[in-house]
Amino acid sequence: QVQLVESGGGSVQAGGSLRLSCAASRGLSNYACMAWFRQTPGKEREGVAIIGTADITNYADSVKGRFPISKDYAKNTLYLQLNSLKTEDTAMYYCGASEYIVVTATRADYKYWGQGTQVTVSS
């Protein structure tokens, strides 16, 4: 079973930054698509950023320009840089991976998931 482990979450003041990491048990080349999702209690897990074929990226409108996604093949690690954090960014952030190209960017498209890392932004 593929393992993904997130880290880097924490508590930060609005306007601050955090860097989330997702360490994979296999090389990142095994995954056609990798993504970051986030979820708050009572709400569906929503896609935040995705990096797919040819490292093409796509972002939710709410984080576009603030949360660049990147990957380090040498370290088998996916990153999400959280900049200019807002209170509404507070959520559990999850790393997801798919061995196949994702055409519908929903939770069900990603077979592998990490345990999540909590990000709390206060005013």
Side-chain angles (χ1 to χ4, degrees):
Q1 181 67 39
V2 173
Q3 295 181 346
L4 302 174
V5 180
E6 302 98 332
S7 62
S11 298
V12 65
Q13 291 284 322
S17 299
L18 288 171
R19 188 191 193 193
L20 306 184
S21 298
C22 172
S25 60
R26 300 198 299 166
L28 302 192
S29 294
N30 291 284
Y31 313 112
C33 294
M34 299 188 77
W36 286 96
F37 281 64
R38 65 186 181 186
Q39 186 171 27
T40 55
K43 297 184 180 297
E44 296 182 347
R45 190 171 297 183
E46 64 173 354
V48 175
I50 181 171
I51 184 164
T53 303
D55 290 346
I56 298 299
T57 58
N58 200 1
Y59 300 91
D61 289 340
S62 60
V63 307
K64 192 172 298 182
R66 294 192 296 129
F67 292 0
I69 186 173
S70 62
K71 53 190 177 184
D72 188 327
Y73 289 95
K75 296 181 178 179
N76 289 3
T77 301
L78 176 74
Y79 299 101
L80 185 68
Q81 178 67 44
L82 309 181
N83 297 314
S84 301
L85 283 162
K86 305 173 181 179
T87 55
E88 52 261 46
D89 294 320
T90 294
M92 184 73 74
Y93 283 72
Y94 296 90
C95 171
S98 173
E99 296 168 323
Y100 310 100
I101 295 174
V102 173
V103 295
T104 55
T106 63
R107 179 176 180 174
D109 290 321
Y110 293 86
K111 181 179 180 180
Y112 308 105
W113 293 94
Q115 82 289 348
T117 185
Q118 179 68 37
V119 172
T120 301
V121 185
S122 62
S123 60

